[in-house]
Amino acid sequence: MTGWLGPLSVEALHGIGPRQAAVLRDYGIHCAGLLATVPPATVQRLLGGKAGRLAADRARGIDPRPVVPRALPATASVHHRFDEHALDGAVVRAALLDLVVRLGTRLRGRGQVARALTLTLKFAGGSNWEKTRRLTAPSAHEDDLRRLAYQLMDAAGLQRGRLTGIALKGEDLTDADQVAWQLSLDDAREARLAAETAVDRVRDRFGPGVIGPAAVFRRAS
């Protein structure tokens, strides 16, 4: 029997209601571990045929119901809020690059790729600017996400607009294993993708903030 299951109260087992639990407790059976030691035929006499059989099975960790995975969301968003109003420049671009890294890491961790990106800029005064563009091919690689994110930022045509926050959203997500991958024949790109895989392993082991582009790790003032 599964070790964690034994100490659970009989009410915690799926399918056992208050009345059934009361019957079991009247016979001194108050936890799943004790219920698992009772012969199934006895449990069936106490609770009835089907209910007793299910209760005996659940106490032993037997549940034939199929596990249905929950569908992953069709979008993924990351946000950054500036401590002070910011103009387009090194600070804003570093924040956007950080969003690219975070979004790419999240998508790869889920085994998903994005077909489009949406960039949202939030300005002092409460107004927003938002634009969506599709990637040339579905991707979760930082190279591809960064290129399109910067194109979106350039399209905003910021001059003296004071930003309070930015958001980057991966749109029209799909499973990565449903996308056909083709070698780019670009040795430099293939090397960056191999490095990205290694960096993901480092983040998985030591945390997401231990490694990343140098521009993201701005010197604290």
Side-chain angles (χ1 to χ4, degrees):
M1 183 185 61
T2 306
W4 61 267
L5 195 58
L8 294 180
S9 66
V10 288
E11 294 96 328
L13 294 175
H14 181 75
I16 295 183
R19 290 184 181 179
Q20 294 170 320
V23 172
L24 294 173
R25 288 182 179 278
D26 286 343
Y27 283 84
I29 305 169
H30 57 83
C31 66
L34 288 174
L35 181 56
T37 66
V38 178
T42 301
V43 181
Q44 290 180 40
R45 285 197 298 271
L46 295 176
L47 302 181
K50 182 178 179 181
R53 183 173 64 255
L54 289 176
D57 284 347
R58 302 283 165 74
R60 291 169 172 79
I62 300 171
D63 190 345
R65 292 175 300 170
V67 176
V68 179
R70 298 176 64 183
L72 290 171
T75 64
S77 301
V78 286
H79 309 264
H80 178 88
R81 184 172 184 83
F82 296 105
D83 294 332
E84 299 178 352
H85 296 171
L87 300 175
D88 188 16
V91 172
V92 172
R93 296 292 170 142
L96 179 58
L97 181 57
D98 181 51
L99 295 185
V100 167
V101 171
R102 288 163 51 194
L103 179 61
T105 302
R106 181 179 300 178
L107 293 179
R108 294 191 301 275
R110 291 179 179 176
Q112 290 186 294
V113 292
R115 292 190 176 99
L117 289 182
T118 296
L119 177 66
T120 303
L121 306 179
K122 300 181 180 182
F123 295 96
S127 62
N128 292 342
W129 178 93
E130 183 173 286
K131 191 173 185 64
T132 301
R133 283 187 182 176
R134 297 189 71 82
L135 290 142
T136 55
S139 180
H141 296 306
E142 291 165 19
D143 263 7
D144 304 322
L145 302 181
R146 180 182 65 249
R147 187 178 301 110
L148 184 55
Y150 281 9
Q151 289 173 4
L152 287 166
M153 179 65 81
D154 291 340
L158 297 181
Q159 295 180 352
R160 304 299 297 175
R162 295 176 298 157
L163 292 172
T164 61
I166 57 177
L168 189 65
K169 180 191 294 185
E171 304 265 18
D172 196 9
L173 305 185
T174 189
D175 291 342
D177 56 10
Q178 294 182 1
V179 176
W181 296 105
Q182 184 174 1
L183 289 175
S184 66
L185 303 181
D186 180 341
D187 291 342
R189 174 178 169 82
E190 294 303 321
R192 289 194 297 273
L193 297 185
E196 183 179 78
T197 300
V199 168
D200 283 344
R201 289 198 294 267
V202 173
R203 291 185 180 127
D204 288 342
R205 183 171 182 181
F206 298 105
V210 300
I211 190 170
V216 172
F217 293 91
R218 299 184 297 276
R219 187 185 301 273
S221 57

